[in-house]
Amino acid sequence: MRMNDFGLYFTLGREHIADLNGLDHILFVAALCLRYVFADWKKLVILVTAFTIGHSITLALSVFNIIHISTKHIEFLIPVTIIITAASNLFVKKFTYKSKYPFIYFIALLFGLIHGLGFSNYLKSLLGRGETIVVQLLAFNIGLEFGQLLIVLAVLLLTFICTNVIKINRREYIVFISGAIMAIAAQMALQRIPF
């Protein structure tokens, strides 16, 4: 694989997760990291890593044709994961966690598996059948992660502006944004009901 091919798949991965036409991925990552601030960067690294592990597993399994799940079911499940993740934010009252691994980490891992299948449908349509499929998969995955980090940074910046500059109560901010995300995701889910 030539270096410009690596760059091509990296760009495709980055654009796929950050594409406004693929708003579902942006909403999921936003809902996932909404409860965090810049000072929580270590927790965010674990959270993003859990999501990455989940979607990397099913992305690879699907691209290598080890598992296959109907596209219409995955496209329906993705907004459902957004609704559940955003709803979990409504229960956050304190911003310190007693558990070293809060439940949101397991949500990220589990729902990452579903999102990986969504990414794979897009990637499989682009891949050839050559020996370079592993490198293409790696480049695409790295691009996804880069795009995901841009979304995380944007959400952290928005949170900082709203809670530190505009002085919106942090809990009210999380409830309001989570509610908006849930409403958009519910509309997506209704449009994608697979029967």
Side-chain angles (χ1 to χ4, degrees), residues 16-33:
H16 183 64
I17 199 166
D19 182 2
L20 290 178
N21 292 322
L23 188 59
D24 46 3
H25 301 309
I26 294 171
L27 290 175
F28 179 76
V29 174
L32 198 59
C33 64

Side-chain angles (χ1 to χ4, degrees), residues 156-175:
L156 288 175
L157 185 59
L158 178 66
T159 299
F160 177 81
I161 291 168
C162 289
T163 59
N164 291 65
V165 178
I166 302 174
K167 302 292 185 189
I168 297 172
N169 175 279
R170 188 170 166 195
R171 167 124 174 89
E172 291 172 4
Y173 162 78
I174 290 171
V175 168

Side-chain angles (χ1 to χ4, degrees), residues 91-158:
F91 299 99
V92 175
K93 293 188 172 79
K94 297 179 181 177
F95 299 101
T96 55
Y97 301 99
K98 293 179 183 175
S99 169
K100 188 174 180 181
Y101 300 104
F103 186 65
I104 191 73
Y105 294 173
F106 300 102
I107 288 176
L109 177 65
L110 177 66
F111 291 169
L113 296 169
I114 295 169
H115 282 254
L117 291 169
F119 297 143
S120 71
N121 292 327
Y122 173 75
L123 182 59
K124 279 199 282 192
S125 68
L126 301 172
L127 287 174
R129 294 266 178 202
E131 301 171 357
T132 59
I133 192 170
V134 173
V135 179
Q136 292 167 341
L137 181 60
L138 177 65
F140 185 81
N141 215 18
I142 292 171
L144 281 174
E145 290 318 301
F146 184 78
Q148 181 176 292
L149 288 174
L150 292 177
I151 297 166
V152 170
L153 286 173
V155 171
L156 288 175
L157 185 59
L158 178 66

Side-chain angles (χ1 to χ4, degrees), residues 34 86 90 173-184:
L34 192 59
L90 303 179
Y173 162 78
I174 290 171
V175 168
F176 177 77
I177 299 296
S178 295
I181 289 172
M182 287 170 61
I184 296 167

Side-chain angles (χ1 to χ4, degrees), residues 52-95:
T52 299
I53 290 168
H55 77 66
S56 296
I57 290 169
T58 50
L59 180 60
L61 291 175
S62 181
V63 166
F64 288 111
N65 293 313
I66 296 170
I67 59 171
H68 177 73
I69 298 176
S70 165
T71 301
K72 63 182 179 178
H73 287 93
I74 293 303
E75 290 303 315
F76 170 72
L77 285 174
I78 287 173
V80 171
T81 67
I82 298 166
I83 293 167
I84 294 169
T85 304
S88 75
N89 289 334
L90 303 179
F91 299 99
V92 175
K93 293 188 172 79
K94 297 179 181 177
F95 299 101

